[in-house]
Amino acid sequence: MYYCPSYMPKFFIKTYGCQMNERDSEQVAHSLVARGYQRAEHESAADVVLLNTCSVRDMADQKALGKMGMLGRLAKERPHVVFGFLGCMAQVRGESLLRGLPHVDLVVGTQKFHRVADYVDELVARKAASPVVPAYQNGAMDDLRFSIVDVQEEAGSQSTIRDQQLTTRQATAFVSIMQGCNMHCTFCIVPQTRGAERSRSIDEIVSEVRHLVSRGVKEVTLLGQIVNLYGRHEFAKIDNKSAFVQLLEAVHDVQGLERLRFTSPHPIGFRDDLIDAIARLPKLAEHVHLPLQSGSNKILKAMHRAYTAETYIDLVGRIRQARHRIAITTDIIVGFPGETEDDYQQTRDLTRQIQFDNAFVFRYSSRSGTPAAGMPDQIDELVKEERNHDLLEVINKSNHRILEGLIGTEVEVLCEGPSKTNPARMMGRTRTNKIVVFASSPGRLRDNGSAGERLRRNTEGDELVGSLFNVRIERANGFSLYGTPLLE
């Protein structure tokens, strides 16, 4: 079978893991589209299939490996297709990913996303130059020399994630402001997959935000592995403001930007200047994702988290005092090595005390190469599951109480597009990051103070996309709110 170059190749990217991975995939997609490649709706229609991987938990590794294994059947049917691993798992495992998966052509690590288009071009051309025989039929294609592996560090890679392939009428966007992490939490493999902290310049980031806003984006989320430690090694304080607060102020001043978010921070990065910024910058949305991980000081110390339960509680109080009705969400790990029933109960009690708006609860997953993997007193999986289920019940109760408290109120919503669960309806998010589902309504919406912006009209179903307006909340169901847009 020959690769046919008479039409523009199509690519398909499947992303596993966090928002930073999603942002990296957008960068790769942009670079491929710039070369003339087209997006495929499904892997079966693609000439290039890339899996952008995650290594935070073993399950994420296994999902990506299983998926690539299943794609071996597609490789037999369409041997001209280029298959590749990108991202965190690629960074950690490197060339070893080629063994047992003879159809894999490309392995690219976390500092080389900007090289992917070049490598894909090379592989597509190589396969187009001669008849392609599946690796299963020709041992030569199983030779590692026929594949490309690049997991080396590269200076300046933090400034290469700067281009985005926006969809039509896209209202929100992520902006990567840094790479890497220096914290070395004992459960986390990220320092190995992402490297040391490296930050982009404020001017670069502001320029990207301005460009996004000029294309219709109303809300940006600044991304970093520990976002509020941005620039601490590269940039000096000015007027006793950290580099991160300086960045927030600069992005906040971008004309046309309506909302500003950031994720994920670390509690130790919340100094007085950041608390003050939350109080005084109106575009900063009323939502802070503040990872807790555990409510036990013994476990926090074992995790190398550098704060106590008491300082965490105090920080939540200061944040809530700085901004009225701000939403607090979190991450919690249950079943960390050495976690006794008393340690877990301390986490449970703290969770009930704080009343989080929502939380991601994870069962501890051992990652090879991390200090926690070799710790004694590993917890039985059944115990982890029981604690996970119990804590989720606590979280769900506080979430439902908060959502039900919004019934009958009016909330500002930024419409993002059709609801994923019911495309006949529209969805958006409140400033506190709550999902609101509603029917699209023709006509002009009541001005909510955003400069009396006219709705950008297209079709009846899309006329609200990218618009800010108030919605009267009528009911809450699960983790979503439902309501009616308010007309003039």
Side-chain angles (χ1 to χ4, degrees):
M1 181 175 180
Y2 291 82
Y3 176 76
C4 176
S6 61
Y7 75 104
M8 300 312 297
K10 295 182 179 179
F11 70 92
F12 178 84
I13 303 176
K14 183 173 179 62
T15 306
Y16 299 87
C18 66
Q19 293 163 321
M20 294 186 72
N21 286 14
E22 295 284 355
R23 179 66 191 89
D24 292 334
S25 291
E26 289 177 2
Q27 175 69 28
V28 172
H30 176 86
S31 65
L32 289 171
V33 169
R35 300 287 180 95
Y37 291 78
Q38 299 176 346
R39 286 182 182 269
E41 293 297 321
H42 191 268
E43 64 218 27
S44 61
D47 305 292
V48 179
V49 179
L50 304 173
L51 305 185
N52 191 7
T53 61
C54 172
S55 268
V56 170
R57 305 180 72 215
D58 182 64
M59 185 180 297
D61 274 17
Q62 297 309 314
K63 282 183 178 180
L65 289 169
K67 179 66 175 179
M68 188 61 80
M70 289 189 292
L71 289 171
R73 290 176 292 181
L74 180 62
K76 289 182 178 180
E77 299 167 0
R78 309 181 72 224
H80 72 276
V81 175
V82 171
F83 295 92
F85 282 116
L86 313 177
C88 292
M89 187 178 75
Q91 183 71 39
V92 172
R93 299 199 179 200
E95 190 173 280
S96 68
L97 288 170
L98 302 177
R99 302 186 184 100
L101 294 168
H103 58 288
V104 174
D105 305 289
L106 181 64
V107 178
V108 176
T110 56
Q111 297 189 32
K112 297 299 181 74
F113 288 107
H114 58 293
R115 305 286 185 194
V116 172
D118 289 336
Y119 295 146
V120 167
D121 276 350
E122 180 179 341
L123 290 164
V124 167
R126 185 186 301 174
K127 289 194 171 187
S130 61
V132 177
V133 180
Y136 306 95
Q137 301 173 19
N138 184 344
M141 290 302 294
D142 199 16
D143 192 322
L144 300 186
R145 293 172 298 174
F146 285 81
S147 299
I148 296 173
V149 178
D150 188 355
V151 295
Q152 300 302 309
E153 293 184 3
E154 182 168 336
S157 63
Q158 70 273 18
S159 295
T160 63
I161 308 300
R162 60 178 182 269
D163 300 313
Q164 303 202 35
Q165 196 66 30
L166 298 181
T167 60
T168 303
R169 303 167 69 81
Q170 185 171 322
T172 66
F174 295 113
V175 174
S176 178
I177 68 171
M178 62 189 296
Q179 289 182 337
C181 179
N182 290 358
M183 294 304 297
H184 296 283
C185 299
T186 57
F187 55 81
C188 186
I189 200 170
V190 166
Q192 294 172 241
T193 63
R194 294 274 178 178
E197 290 175 13
R198 308 171 308 282
S199 300
R200 300 171 63 190
S201 72
I202 290 177
D203 287 345
E204 283 181 11
I205 297 165
V206 170
S207 177
E208 181 178 341
V209 173
R210 284 200 184 106
H211 181 61
L212 291 169
V213 170
S214 72
R215 296 168 67 188
V217 168
K218 298 294 183 66
E219 172 186 299
V220 297
T221 300
L222 305 182
L223 293 181
Q225 202 62 52
I226 299 185
V227 69
N228 55 340
L229 298 184
Y230 162 86
R232 61 175 174 160
H233 301 300
E234 296 97 333
F235 312 122
K237 285 188 174 183
I238 297 177
D239 295 330
N240 207 33
K241 295 175 184 175
S242 66
F244 183 60
V245 170
Q246 295 171 46
L247 174 63
L248 289 178
E249 291 177 338
V251 173
H252 185 276
D253 287 343
V254 173
Q255 293 296 314
L257 181 69
E258 297 281 356
R259 291 180 180 177
L260 175 59
R261 303 183 189 273
F262 59 86
T263 199
S264 279
H266 192 292
I268 69 166
F270 277 85
R271 307 297 185 185
D272 289 343
D273 61 333
L274 181 51
I275 300 292
D276 176 65
I278 290 172
R280 64 184 171 79
L281 298 180
K283 290 182 184 179
L284 263 180
E286 290 85 353
H287 170 229
V288 170
H289 186 73
L290 189 66
L292 168 64
Q293 306 304 2
S294 177
S296 161
N297 288 338
K298 183 192 83 177
I299 298 300
L300 287 172
K301 184 176 181 180
M303 290 177 167
H304 196 218
R305 290 294 290 173
Y307 55 85
T308 65
E310 291 76 18
T311 57
Y312 185 94
I313 292 169
D314 178 70
L315 175 58
V316 169
R318 293 170 62 206
I319 292 172
R320 284 175 168 165
Q321 187 175 15
R323 186 72 75 91
H324 183 54
R325 293 183 177 175
I326 194 168
I328 307 287
T329 57
T330 195
D331 298 329
I332 302 173
I333 296 173
V334 297
F336 187 81
E339 183 187 69
T340 64
E341 184 62 28
D342 181 64
D343 292 322
Y344 169 68
Q345 288 300 323
Q346 291 178 50
T347 298
R348 191 181 195 275
D349 291 344
L350 189 150
T351 301
R352 291 184 63 186
Q353 176 183 345
I354 289 180
Q355 292 289 295
F356 292 106
D357 287 66
N358 209 342
F360 296 103
V361 181
F362 303 96
R363 299 184 296 276
Y364 168 73
S365 176
S366 177
R367 307 306 292 129
S368 177
T370 62
M375 288 181 177
D377 301 320
Q378 298 285 325
I379 307 301
D380 183 80
E381 290 299 324
L382 181 59
V383 174
K384 293 180 189 178
E385 179 60 34
E386 290 173 348
R387 291 175 181 174
N388 182 83
H389 179 75
D390 179 62
L391 195 60
L392 281 174
E393 286 190 351
V394 175
I395 296 294
N396 290 344
K397 285 180 181 178
S398 65
N399 174 265
H400 294 163
R401 179 188 61 78
I402 291 168
L403 292 183
E404 289 171 0
L406 292 172
I407 295 174
T409 67
E410 296 180 14
V411 295
E412 181 193 86
V413 169
L414 173 60
C415 182
E416 297 180 16
S419 167
K420 293 181 180 179
T421 57
N422 182 2
R425 301 175 73 84
M426 307 298 285
M427 65 79 60
R429 293 180 189 270
T430 68
R431 292 180 62 89
T432 57
N433 209 37
K434 308 282 191 303
I435 294 174
V436 181
V437 180
F438 48 90
S440 59
S441 300
R444 188 172 301 173
L445 299 177
R446 191 169 70 192
D447 177 20
N448 68 344
S450 58
E453 176 192 22
R454 289 179 177 272
L455 293 175
R456 293 174 293 172
R457 299 184 180 278
N458 184 5
T459 64
E460 180 174 321
D462 289 339
E463 67 176 7
L464 305 183
V465 177
S467 297
L468 285 158
F469 49 86
N470 287 343
V471 174
R472 178 179 291 112
I473 303 302
E474 297 164 346
R475 63 187 178 93
N477 182 18
F479 295 96
S480 298
L481 297 165
Y482 296 81
T484 300
L486 297 175
L487 304 177
E488 286 184 326

